[in-house]
Amino acid sequence: MTALCIANVFYVGRRLAGLGKAEQSIRDCLAAFEVLSIARPTLEAALLLPGSDYEDNIQIAAAILANLDGIITRDPSGFPQAR
């Protein structure tokens, strides 16, 4: 997961289930997954990718820079340009 995903999990979880459950979701994610940093090189690489969704491009760029084999998403239509 990227650090961006962790922030999104918290944001959505807090709105839907409250602060306590959102915090527990973050603990669960941190226990289960490695977290990729979102640093300047990732943000710059995301700008060079095709597509209009910068947030999705950040995920793709992070995966490329970490030499990952794939991206798991609930919205594969958001990643048509991903290799």
Side-chain angles (χ1 to χ4, degrees), residues 2 4 9 14 20-23 32-33 53 59-61 73 82:
T2 65
L4 182 60
V9 166
R14 185 179 61 189
K21 288 187 179 182
E23 288 174 342
F33 300 103
D53 192 321
Q59 304 297 334
I60 296 166
T73 179

Side-chain angles (χ1 to χ4, degrees), residues 56-71:
D56 288 349
N57 284 355
I58 291 171
Q59 304 297 334
I60 296 166
I64 291 168
L65 291 172
N67 294 313
L68 299 182
D69 294 325
I71 295 173

